[in-house]
Amino acid sequence: MRWLVTGGLGFIGSNFVRLVLRELPDVCVVNLDAMTYAGNPANLRDLESDPRYAFVRGDIADADAVREAIGSGVDAIVNFAAETHVDRSILDPEAFLRTDILGTHVLLEAVRERGIPRFLQVSTDEVYGDVAVGASREDAPLRPRSPYSASKAGGDMQTLAYFATYRAPVLVTRGSNTYGPYQYPEKLIPLFVTNLIDDEPVPVYGDGLQVRDWIHVEDHVRGILHVLQRGAIGEVYNLGGGNPRTNLEITEVLVEGCGRSMATHVRHVTDRAGHDRRYAIDTAKARALGWSPRIAFADGLRATIAWYRHHESWWRPLKSGDFLEYYKRQYGSRTEIAR
Ligand code: DAU
């Protein structure tokens, strides 16, 4: 079998490619990746010579690039390619519309035209918006509140519309906040860990009492594979870790794990605009399919801190050049606030 993975040089995509090549000897992977700032060839360097792995550089919103990657045909497309960072979407929304909506549309057209037997859209719990109480099931209304989550919701809607309209064999997974190795250091956990290793302060937005549900990337990619292989077409599956924590709780573990102190290293700064207070998803549907997360949060977080400690040569080059510009733009205008 030949699978097309898009965005396979990103965080979740590269972990998925690794899982597939490790566990499914009869699957070859073609990785189509635009190599934006978050697509890092170092994430899969050790697999470059694997005869079951091929790389095509290109954008999912470019139909010619998609055609080239599909070549004589593929048995499945798994779409990880996306602009994913909420804070960047607040600064520059346009790239999110292009990749997350138009890019998904281009892939869906290829599925329709070429009769590709499976298409899995990797999505997010953020499409349900702020969840004050309880947990969103897959049939909950979508109420995205950031340019990022609105774009992802657009991609989900296109995907499900292709099932309703053309009977395209699609699936959607909606994952919760993911952590683990190879995560670009703009997101909470890798940003804070790498700042703390460098003895720098960490910027907690607002009061830090926002709640996210954390899942280890290994559990997340196993869930995606499980849904790809066993899910019912036209269906959506939530993949959550079942580890709800406030940002301050996470910060405390990271600060302690890096040998620093809350008093000296934590800055409460101006909140994210439109910041969703809480996400929570009901994962009963994916569990009924036979998937469940395996990695205990305390173990996963400890191992993740250790991974960043031992892989400075991976993240240090990322926290230079354009990243420093971005950091100044994102954080320079945030003022410190009293807790
Ligand atoms: O819920 C799934 C989503 O999780 C994914 O769809 C997104 O692609 C992914 O970026 C993530 O979105 P979040 O906005 O929740 O992740 P982020 O790591 O940016 O922030 C996590 C929480 O930490 C959020 O409440 C904002 C807060 N935060 C984040 C950063 C980067 C801070 O307090 N300070 C920071 O510097």
Side-chain angles (χ1 to χ4, degrees):
M1 288 208 289
R2 206 161 157 263
W3 292 358
L4 174 61
V5 172
T6 67
L9 293 182
F11 166 47
I12 306 179
S14 62
N15 278 283
F16 180 79
V17 171
R18 206 173 281 288
L19 171 73
V20 169
L21 292 180
R22 192 172 65 225
E23 297 201 352
L24 302 176
D26 57 343
V27 177
C28 297
V29 170
V30 180
N31 175 10
L32 173 65
D33 194 295
M35 289 176 68
T36 65
Y37 77 96
N40 184 355
N43 294 4
L44 290 179
R45 180 119 312 135
D46 52 317
L47 298 180
E48 277 168 6
S49 58
D50 189 320
R52 290 188 296 130
Y53 174 73
F55 178 72
V56 177
R57 183 174 186 171
D59 180 348
I60 58 166
D62 171 359
D64 290 335
V66 170
R67 211 169 289 124
E68 184 196 334
I70 291 173
S72 59
V74 292
D75 301 286
I77 299 179
V78 187
N79 182 27
F80 291 91
E83 291 291 338
T84 66
H85 193 41
V86 175
D87 292 326
R88 283 189 194 254
S89 83
I90 294 167
L91 293 176
D92 294 310
E94 199 174 318
F96 290 73
L97 303 182
R98 178 175 163 86
T99 304
D100 301 0
I101 302 178
L102 186 61
T104 304
H105 159 77
V106 169
L107 294 174
L108 287 164
E109 275 297 282
V111 169
R112 185 161 83 94
E113 279 168 18
R114 301 290 302 272
I116 291 164
R118 277 282 179 286
F119 174 80
L120 189 146
Q121 169 74 352
V122 177
S123 187
T124 167
D125 63 358
E126 298 205 8
V127 296
Y128 299 117
D130 201 40
V131 183
V133 287
S136 308
R137 286 189 351 186
E138 290 81 352
D139 55 4
L142 304 191
R143 296 201 174 95
R145 300 176 68 250
S146 72
Y148 160 67
S149 54
S151 302
K152 287 300 286 183
D156 285 23
M157 300 287 226
Q158 284 296 321
T159 303
L160 296 171
Y162 269 62
F163 174 69
T165 311
Y166 307 113
R167 292 288 132 186
V170 305
L171 299 144
V172 177
T173 57
R174 294 188 180 136
S176 66
N177 276 64
T178 308
Y179 71 100
Y182 300 105
Q183 186 168 30
Y184 188 81
E186 64 189 352
K187 304 286 167 71
L188 178 79
I189 289 179
L191 176 71
F192 281 20
V193 170
T194 54
N195 276 14
L196 291 163
I197 289 173
D198 278 348
D199 207 6
E200 296 288 336
V202 295
V204 171
Y205 295 159
D207 61 9
L209 299 180
Q210 307 83 2
V211 175
R212 298 289 183 269
D213 171 15
W214 294 92
I215 184 169
H216 193 277
V217 67
E218 196 64 28
D219 282 328
H220 192 169
V221 295
R222 277 188 187 285
I224 290 166
L225 181 59
H226 199 89
V227 169
L228 181 69
Q229 293 177 316
R230 297 185 181 78
I233 64 164
E235 294 293 323
V236 179
Y237 295 88
N238 288 340
L239 300 172
N243 300 300
R245 298 286 189 281
T246 66
N247 293 337
L248 264 188
E249 285 171 321
I250 300 287
T251 304
E252 268 171 13
V253 178
L254 302 179
V255 165
E256 200 173 298
C258 292
R260 310 290 182 199
S261 94
M262 293 292 277
T264 54
H265 282 74
V266 173
R267 305 270 185 281
H268 285 262
V269 298
T270 320
D271 208 349
R272 174 184 278 176
H275 199 170
D276 286 335
R277 200 70 183 159
R278 176 175 176 267
Y279 299 133
I281 45 177
D282 183 324
T283 57
K285 191 168 164 186
R287 286 172 190 266
L289 213 56
W291 167 84
S292 59
R294 297 175 186 168
I295 300 176
F297 190 45
D299 296 342
L301 211 45
R302 203 176 309 116
T304 300
I305 296 171
W307 191 88
Y308 284 91
R309 270 193 190 291
H310 296 133
H311 290 80
E312 287 200 17
S313 60
W314 179 84
W315 59 263
R316 256 190 213 291
L318 302 178
K319 284 189 101 175
S320 64
D322 288 351
F323 180 88
L324 297 179
E325 281 301 301
Y326 161 76
Y327 201 80
K328 204 154 76 191
R329 205 171 153 217
Q330 189 64 256
Y331 295 95
S333 59
R334 291 191 136 94
T335 49
E336 191 164 351
I337 54 168
R339 210 197 133 180

